[in-house]
Amino acid sequence: ENNDPYGEHDFGSFDYKGTLNNFNRTHPELKINKSLKEITRDDAKLIYKLDFYDAYHLEKINNEKSSKVLMHMFVMLKPNTTLDILHKSLNDAGYSSKRLLTKEMIPTLNKIEKDNKSQEFNEILKKNYIDYLKVQPDATKYRGWFLRVERL
């Protein structure tokens, strides 16, 4: 029996074979020839850094917690779903009336940090993320996700 409260290995999207396949296709020089169950924490860090953190320029977000929550969302959800939840969260916090493209999110998030509103915004973002997960038809498969979001 698996006693890990965060899932089989707490690496999130590696339950989805497409993440590893995409990494191997886009980074053939770094190809990871392992089954999903053989993925190590170091493998996961490399994949997440290159395919998510770097790809969405999350290092440019001044508030570390905002960056972590968005990293989790980009890894776990489709980019458009993440941007939809971000848009709702920005509107809920009074910061945006239009849906942002990925390149536009960083200056807006850094304005929130400059305004000393990051803690309030991060709680809104986490709540909207969890609310989205709760209404999914197969929400029970997100058990580990809920626990990971609570740790952020």
Side-chain angles (χ1 to χ4, degrees):
E1 179 181 341
N2 180 359
N3 293 322
D4 178 0
Y6 304 112
E8 194 168 309
H9 44 48
D10 194 20
F11 296 165
S13 70
F14 290 101
D15 294 333
Y16 180 59
K17 192 175 178 181
T19 299
L20 180 58
N21 290 341
N22 185 63
F23 178 83
N24 286 334
R25 187 177 61 256
T26 57
H27 306 285
E29 73 284 2
L30 300 172
K31 188 170 184 171
I32 297 173
N33 288 314
K34 297 179 181 178
S35 73
L36 294 178
K37 291 185 185 255
E38 295 172 322
I39 294 291
T40 66
R41 188 164 296 277
D42 286 339
D43 295 331
K45 285 179 180 180
L46 177 66
I47 293 167
Y48 286 159
K49 175 154 182 8
L50 294 178
D51 280 2
F52 298 97
Y53 193 78
D54 291 353
Y56 294 107
H57 307 285
L58 299 177
E59 78 282 358
K60 294 180 180 177
I61 297 172
N62 293 338
N63 184 271
E64 183 179 356
K65 190 165 192 167
S66 296
S67 180
K68 284 182 179 182
V69 174
L70 284 166
M71 172 70 176
H72 194 275
M73 291 170 66
F74 276 117
V75 168
M76 298 300 167
L77 306 174
K78 293 177 182 173
N80 282 337
T81 302
T82 296
L83 292 174
D84 288 344
I85 295 168
L86 175 60
H87 172 67
K88 179 181 180 352
S89 301
L90 289 168
N91 281 334
D92 290 352
Y95 275 89
S96 179
S97 60
K98 67 176 188 127
R99 187 178 184 280
L100 298 175
L101 301 173
T102 306
K103 67 181 179 183
E104 298 170 320
M105 73 180 185
I106 294 167
T108 304
L109 291 167
N110 288 341
K111 179 172 178 6
I112 292 170
E113 173 76 4
K114 185 179 175 186
D115 293 346
N116 293 314
K117 302 273 185 160
S118 290
Q119 183 175 350
E120 176 187 334
F121 173 75
N122 288 330
E123 291 307 313
I124 292 168
L125 182 61
K126 283 173 57 175
K127 178 191 177 305
N128 287 338
Y129 182 21
I130 290 170
D131 287 351
Y132 169 83
L133 294 176
K134 284 180 181 176
V135 300
Q136 298 310 300
D138 51 355
T140 56
K141 83 173 189 178
Y142 299 112
R143 179 177 58 93
W145 294 16
F146 289 114
L147 295 169
R148 281 190 289 274
V149 173
E150 289 172 11
R151 293 188 305 194
L152 296 174

